[in-house]
Amino acid sequence: MTSNEIRQSFLDFFKSKEHRIVPSAPVVPHGDPTLLFTNAGMNQFKDVFLGIGNRDYVRAADTQKCIRVSGKHNDLEEVGVDTYHHTFFEMLGNWSFGDYYKIEAIDWAWELLTGVWKLPTERLHATVYRTDDESFELWKKYLPVERIHRFDEKDNFWEMGETGPCGPCSEIHFDRTPDLSGGPLVNAGVPEVIEIWNLVFIQYNRKANGELEPLSSTHVDTGMGFERITAVIQGKNSNYDTDVFMPLINKIVELSGKEYNGKLDDPDSISMRVIADHIRTLSFAIADGALPGNEGRSYVLRRILRRGCRFARNLGIKEPLMYKLLPTLIDTMGESFPELIKQRNIIEKVIKGEEESFLQTLERGLEKFEEITNKLKDENNNVIGGADAFLLYDSYGFPLDLTELLARENNFVVDINGFNQNMKEQKDRSRANRKIHLQEVELPVTDAKSNFVGYNNSSLESEILYVNENQVILAETPFYVESGGQVSDTGRLVIAAESYNVIDVRKSGNAIIHICDRDVEPAIGQIALAIVDNERRQHIKRNHSATHLMHEALRTVLGDHVQQAGSLVAPDYLRFDFNHFEKVSNEQLLEIERMVNQKVLENINVNIEVLPLEKARENSKIKMFFGDKYGDEVRVITMDPKYSMELCGGIHVSNTAEIGLFKIVSESSIAAGVRRIEAVTGKGVEEYIYSTLEKLDNTKSEINNLNSTISHLEKEIAKLKLKEASSHFEKYAENAKIVKDIRTIAVEVKIEDMQQLRDIAENFRNYLGNNAIALIAAVSDDKIQIACVVTDDLTAKYPAGKLVGLAAKLIGGGGGGKAHFATAGGKDVSKLNDLLNNFHDLVNNY
């Protein structure tokens, strides 16, 4: 069976058992901010197991894309070194939500493995939790007791967390030993006896005090490593030798010119396995909306990509390689996972761009690493200091695990604590530098608690709980405190007929501190009138709602990989930072603008709903962001359920029409892979238009001034050139020939245009005074231009117009003019010298 046939047969089997075949969740868990990546098949059903969600089916099966590169599920260092660990893998799974339980789960597992896939029964072992007698007895139906093994909590008891659903599990292992002697190796973590399927029986709830209580309904959650079962069915001892990986490895062999022998200790083979693994992780993560970057899951991807670059370097490849493997990956997995095909261009551009960027510093970084280790060798020291590891990270882009990898290969270790200390010191310096630009306000430590009630109020009366100099705490306040990118409100407090301007609002503990422009008379227990600057708030509302519309427009125009990386919502403009791998074109910016303005014109009511967080997670259309801290209840801001749904605690317009108009004013890069857009709405657009028109008027004025200056300078330059030419007049006159007692002169000059020739000729005529005829010639634009001048005393007998006409015939042209001055031109440049030499004869014969 091919790997594709194995995957399909699993799904077909459970479909025949009345399971709903559900699609894989994305590897980027957009609905679960607690996870970096989807790392198990059960992730998308977590709400069901927690009892806060449900489905319209009770049986399900799928193949789930998983990435494990952090936390307790971190297989990165084993990848490529052993035969069965991967950063990306598929998990085949079947689930029962309060329906079937242990009997069916074990019976169907045995039926699929031995009846459909024909695995040799003598090579199968089962494990059960030490007290799970029920599962032990069920397995006796299929296996002798010596191949049913009891283990404790570490191996055979599954828990979602410190509290919550949990239960015993039963694992199925495959014995690869030649003599079937693998019994003692079960759960030993060796490739000779490998776990292929884990059946989890969720029947308890772990309470906060550690006690287990039975659940009202029991569930089944199983997971089978697709790559492992493929290796077993195809008779391979290594997952990498199956048709899941070999097409990728063969392509790497083709591109590198190196041999793949499959041995575990062969450096080239290790490098190829690592690259084949890492391109899968990167491609699926990018297809599902993640991008390499400097924080969180984005940095995990950058680490993996740079690790892949380094292993490609081990193969002697010093140019981008990994992106060239994408077509092969699509050939093998695109049919099952069409998102690879749909996002092909984005995946390729991102990986290639990241490879090009890192390769610029990789060579210099490796040289620096060698310099560091050579010095340590001289000192008989095998510890790379934290400062050196941080230097490689900060200046050469080496993730810490890459430095650790290089260190291990060269028999060194890295001072991790020292590295972390250097990282902390840099962050502290960064925070200190930022604080220089912030107004330092010492906030009180108080038990006072303020309630924010400003979503629907911009003014109210409230009891004063605390006053200290210019800081006031109220029991309730309509003033919004800066959060989620939206700036704080400003306004006024009226206390005892005195009005105080509120210039800022801060939070300290559970208290909201109103900071006034002057000290406030102590008035604890009195009533204050709190008034938000409503006009300013309206501008903020417009910008905040427009930010949501723009976020969705960005994802529509640029791709689903776009994720918010920071924002600022101020009264005069909005700023939005997002992940993207290249400059947003003018055409794309215009399309984004039009899309937002279309939603403004559609007059959409903005719906705000408060939901339990877990309920919101059930809706995949609601945007929430990894790393953001959400409470048990969240506000969902909806502007057309088919367009924009987002978790947000900020203040918004009630209808998109209130935004008025939306205009992008700038787009720029602020970091590798992070772009920034600034935009204005409403009155801001009006001010932008006026400002632009004023700039245009100023530009026109500047252009007119510039043209005047240019004209003036051109005249000055012409004067200087004429002056330079005039310096030769005396020489020209001295070389005159006497024809019939008349001075005749024929010379060639250098010119830039015809006007310069005229000026030279006119000025030379004036210089000559009387009794002279001159021909001034020049080559311009591959043509001969000539001017003939005659002094006033000779014009009656020797008119310049006649003479220049005769001269022009000698060069294949024509011309004419007045008696004292005439011009002509000719095409035959080769005749210029003949003209100059024969002009005197021409005058003599006239």
Side-chain angles (χ1 to χ4, degrees):
M1 296 176 74
T2 67
S3 56
N4 286 331
E5 290 170 342
I6 292 168
R7 182 192 296 111
Q8 191 58 49
S9 68
F10 175 89
L11 299 175
D12 289 344
F13 176 82
F14 280 101
K15 186 176 182 180
S16 73
K17 305 299 184 185
E18 299 179 336
H19 286 61
R20 174 81 63 86
I21 307 303
V22 298
S24 169
V27 292
V28 178
H30 297 299
D32 190 347
T34 65
L35 287 175
L36 267 178
F37 295 100
T38 299
N39 58 21
M42 57 76 58
N43 289 161
Q44 66 170 306
F45 302 116
K46 192 161 73 171
D47 60 314
V48 178
F49 297 138
L50 289 170
I52 56 177
N54 55 63
R55 303 290 187 273
D56 62 355
Y57 47 84
V58 293
R59 299 180 181 183
D62 78 348
T63 178
Q64 174 61 53
K65 303 173 293 184
C66 299
I67 293 178
R68 291 186 177 179
V69 285
S70 61
K72 68 177 183 178
H73 297 300
N74 186 355
D75 299 330
L76 187 60
E77 299 307 324
E78 286 75 34
V79 170
V81 177
D82 67 15
T83 61
Y84 57 94
H85 279 105
H86 312 290
T87 57
F88 172 89
F89 63 95
E90 290 179 63
M91 185 177 287
L92 304 172
N94 60 288
W95 289 270
S96 165
F97 308 124
D99 184 34
Y100 65 83
Y101 201 45
K102 294 181 181 180
I103 295 175
E104 294 87 345
I106 291 174
D107 285 350
W108 289 339
W110 187 261
E111 181 182 349
L112 177 61
L113 293 175
T114 63
V116 177
W117 287 341
K118 308 299 183 184
L119 297 191
T121 58
E122 67 273 13
R123 293 194 174 275
L124 296 177
H125 291 251
T127 67
V128 298
Y129 182 53
R130 55 183 169 80
T131 62
D132 188 1
D133 295 333
E134 181 183 1
S135 294
F136 191 93
E137 291 299 318
L138 290 169
W139 277 118
K140 284 169 63 176
K141 178 180 177 182
Y142 302 110
L143 293 169
V145 292
E146 61 268 20
R147 283 194 275 134
I148 308 172
H149 312 267
R150 293 183 187 265
F151 287 90
D152 58 16
E153 285 82 358
K154 177 179 179 294
D155 294 300
N156 279 79
F157 196 89
W158 177 88
E159 302 197 50
M160 184 179 292
E162 293 183 5
T163 61
C166 56
C169 59
S170 178
E171 299 169 340
I172 303 169
H173 295 251
F174 187 82
D175 183 357
R176 285 172 164 154
T177 61
D179 57 356
L180 299 178
S181 62
L185 299 178
V186 171
N187 269 342
V190 294
E192 288 79 11
V193 178
I194 191 167
E195 174 198 337
I196 56 174
W197 205 345
N198 187 12
L199 317 178
V200 178
F201 306 122
I202 303 174
Q203 65 189 71
Y204 300 114
N205 176 57
R206 175 79 70 180
K207 297 166 65 174
N209 62 5
E211 291 182 5
L212 294 175
E213 62 180 4
L215 292 171
S216 57
S217 59
T218 56
H219 312 289
V220 172
D221 163 22
T222 86
M224 177 193 295
F226 171 67
E227 293 77 8
R228 292 186 182 188
I229 193 62
T230 298
V232 168
I233 293 174
Q234 293 183 354
K236 307 293 184 183
N237 288 325
S238 169
N239 296 357
Y240 293 98
D241 292 342
T242 68
D243 66 344
V244 176
F245 288 95
M246 282 310 300
L248 290 168
I249 291 174
N250 289 334
K251 185 65 177 179
I252 298 169
V253 168
E254 174 190 328
L255 293 171
S256 67
K258 300 284 187 177
E259 179 186 352
Y260 179 76
N261 60 29
K263 294 180 180 179
L264 293 183
D265 58 353
D266 176 55
D268 288 348
S269 296
I270 292 173
S271 294
M272 292 183 191
R273 289 193 290 268
V274 170
I275 295 168
D277 171 271
H278 287 7
I279 187 60
R280 284 160 39 99
T281 302
L282 291 164
S283 298
F284 277 98
I286 294 168
D288 283 347
L291 284 178
N294 291 328
E295 299 291 340
R297 68 167 64 95
S298 295
Y299 187 59
V300 171
L301 295 181
R302 179 161 285 169
R303 284 167 47 207
I304 290 173
L305 190 144
R306 293 183 173 183
R307 200 170 183 271
C309 286
R310 192 267 169 176
F311 278 100
R313 175 69 177 75
N314 285 358
L315 295 172
I317 300 173
K318 297 183 179 181
E319 61 183 26
L321 164 77
M322 297 179 72
Y323 83 96
K324 296 177 183 177
L325 303 177
L326 183 59
T328 304
L329 179 63
I330 289 175
D331 287 344
T332 59
M333 301 189 74
E335 183 177 349
S336 298
F337 301 99
E339 60 269 28
L340 290 175
I341 301 172
K342 180 181 177 183
Q343 303 295 343
R344 175 174 184 159
N345 290 339
I346 289 175
I347 299 168
E348 189 173 281
K349 284 182 180 180
V350 170
I351 294 177
K352 184 181 180 185
E354 284 281 324
E355 286 188 275
E356 290 173 339
S357 175
F358 183 53
L359 287 173
Q360 292 176 5
T361 62
L362 177 58
E363 290 300 321
R364 292 189 293 113
L366 290 172
E367 290 172 4
K368 187 65 181 178
F369 179 85
E370 187 175 356
E371 177 188 320
I372 292 168
T373 52
N374 284 341
K375 182 179 178 182
L376 291 173
K377 288 176 184 176
D378 292 340
E379 298 170 354
N380 199 26
N381 184 354
N382 74 330
V383 179
I384 297 174
D388 285 332
F390 185 76
L391 174 67
L392 290 169
Y393 163 83
D394 196 40
S395 299
Y396 300 94
F398 278 33
L400 177 60
D401 49 33
L402 178 54
T403 300
E404 289 183 280
L405 175 65
L406 292 167
R408 281 196 300 274
E409 291 176 350
N410 291 274
N411 298 315
F412 285 87
V413 295
V414 179
D415 179 5
I416 306 298
N417 291 334
F419 173 88
N420 291 334
Q421 181 61 32
N422 275 266
M423 177 71 82
K424 179 180 181 299
E425 289 172 1
Q426 187 200 54
K427 290 180 177 179
D428 289 345
R429 286 193 298 271
S430 178
R431 278 193 291 268
N433 289 335
R434 287 198 300 269
K435 283 183 179 179
I436 293 172
H437 305 287
L438 297 175
Q439 178 187 4
E440 291 293 341
V441 177
E442 186 176 346
L443 299 176
V445 177
T446 174
D447 293 331
K449 181 179 180 181
S450 307
N451 291 322
F452 171 68
V453 292
Y455 286 129
N456 300 308
N457 297 295
S458 59
S459 65
L460 57 79
E461 292 184 346
S462 181
E463 181 185 356
I464 299 172
L465 302 180
Y466 174 95
V467 175
N468 181 28
E469 297 180 346
N470 67 334
Q471 301 177 4
V472 180
I473 300 175
L474 304 178
E476 291 184 332
T477 180
F479 284 82
Y480 183 86
V481 180
E482 181 171 352
S483 178
Q486 179 178 324
V487 299
S488 296
D489 281 326
T490 61
R492 292 185 298 132
L493 293 181
V494 179
I495 303 171
E498 284 287 328
S499 182
Y500 303 89
N501 290 327
V502 177
I503 59 174
D504 198 3
V505 187
R506 303 281 182 91
K507 193 159 189 179
S508 177
N510 292 317
I512 296 173
I513 318 294
H514 305 76
I515 301 171
C516 300
D517 61 344
R518 59 194 174 96
D519 288 353
V520 177
E521 289 295 325
I524 295 175
Q526 293 187 28
I527 299 299
L529 175 61
I531 306 169
V532 171
D533 182 340
N534 206 41
E535 182 179 356
R536 180 178 180 274
R537 177 183 274 192
Q538 290 303 316
H539 295 325
I540 294 171
K541 282 183 176 182
R542 294 186 188 99
N543 286 336
H544 202 155
S545 297
T547 300
H548 283 221
L549 294 176
M550 183 180 70
H551 188 179
E552 193 58 43
L554 283 165
R555 289 170 62 84
T556 302
V557 174
L558 303 181
D560 292 340
H561 64 280
V562 169
Q563 295 291 325
Q564 179 175 328
S567 70
L568 174 68
V569 180
D572 49 344
Y573 78 109
L574 66 92
R575 185 180 74 210
F576 190 79
D577 302 336
F578 58 97
N579 297 323
H580 192 52
F581 48 85
E582 62 185 0
K583 179 177 174 58
V584 184
S585 70
N586 290 335
E587 293 77 12
Q588 290 171 325
L589 290 174
L590 187 59
E591 187 177 354
I592 292 162
E593 267 187 9
R594 286 174 173 163
M595 192 172 294
V596 173
N597 282 317
Q598 178 59 39
K599 292 301 173 184
V600 171
L601 292 173
E602 286 178 11
N603 212 29
I604 300 168
N605 286 328
V606 178
N607 182 60
I608 301 175
E609 186 179 10
V610 177
L611 294 176
L613 175 60
E614 296 302 331
K615 184 72 175 175
R617 283 178 177 164
E618 293 178 15
N619 190 334
S620 61
K621 293 180 180 179
I622 298 176
K623 289 193 287 295
M624 56 181 69
F625 309 107
F626 176 80
D628 282 6
K629 295 180 180 179
Y630 299 110
D632 294 335
E633 289 190 333
V634 292
R635 296 172 80 241
V636 182
I637 312 298
T638 302
M639 303 176 200
D640 181 353
K642 296 180 180 178
Y643 186 73
S644 173
M645 301 180 74
E646 194 167 323
L647 298 190
C648 179
I651 300 178
H652 290 269
V653 298
S654 58
N655 187 288
T656 59
E658 295 176 34
I659 294 170
L661 196 62
F662 171 83
K663 175 64 183 168
I664 294 172
V665 297
S666 71
E667 190 275 346
S668 61
S669 170
I670 61 168
V674 182
R675 309 296 301 182
R676 169 173 290 174
I677 281 180
E678 294 185 354
V680 290
T681 64
K683 191 172 179 61
V685 178
E686 181 184 342
E687 292 174 353
Y688 174 79
I689 292 171
Y690 291 150
S691 173
T692 303
L693 290 174
E694 183 179 352
K695 288 177 183 176
L696 286 173
D697 288 340
N698 292 337
T699 301
K700 288 178 183 177
S701 176
E702 289 172 3
I703 290 173
N704 290 336
N705 292 335
L706 185 60
N707 287 336
S708 176
T709 302
I710 291 171
S711 177
H712 173 72
L713 290 173
E714 286 175 341
K715 290 177 181 178
E716 291 297 316
I717 291 170
K719 288 179 181 178
L720 291 171
K721 289 179 178 178
L722 183 58
K723 184 177 180 181
E724 193 275 335
S726 300
S727 67
H728 300 289
F729 286 173
E730 182 178 354
K731 178 182 176 183
Y732 297 158
E734 288 176 354
N735 292 329
K737 289 187 177 182
I738 305 300
V739 177
K740 297 179 179 179
D741 295 328
I742 300 169
R743 290 179 295 164
T744 62
I745 301 156
V747 296
E748 180 185 2
V749 297
K750 302 291 184 183
I751 63 168
E752 293 184 2
D753 53 38
M754 192 61 192
Q755 183 60 47
Q756 190 178 356
L757 179 66
R758 292 190 186 96
D759 292 341
I760 292 172
E762 285 276 16
N763 279 270
F764 190 39
R765 178 178 178 276
N766 293 334
Y767 175 83
L768 292 170
N770 54 47
N771 192 39
I773 299 172
L775 181 77
I776 314 297
V779 176
S780 177
D781 296 330
D782 296 326
K783 295 178 182 178
I784 300 175
Q785 302 290 347
I786 57 177
C788 181
V789 293
V790 179
T791 56
D792 289 342
D793 56 321
L794 298 175
T795 55
K797 189 173 182 181
Y798 297 97
K802 296 290 186 182
L803 293 174
V804 85
L806 294 171
K809 289 180 181 179
L810 297 177
I811 55 174
K818 297 180 180 180
H820 73 287
F821 179 89
T823 60
K827 298 179 180 179
D828 194 348
V829 177
S830 66
K831 300 292 186 181
L832 176 59
N833 287 332
D834 291 344
L835 171 63
L836 296 175
N837 292 330
N838 294 327
F839 181 69
H840 308 288
D841 293 335
L842 185 150
V843 173
N844 186 46
N845 295 327
Y846 184 76

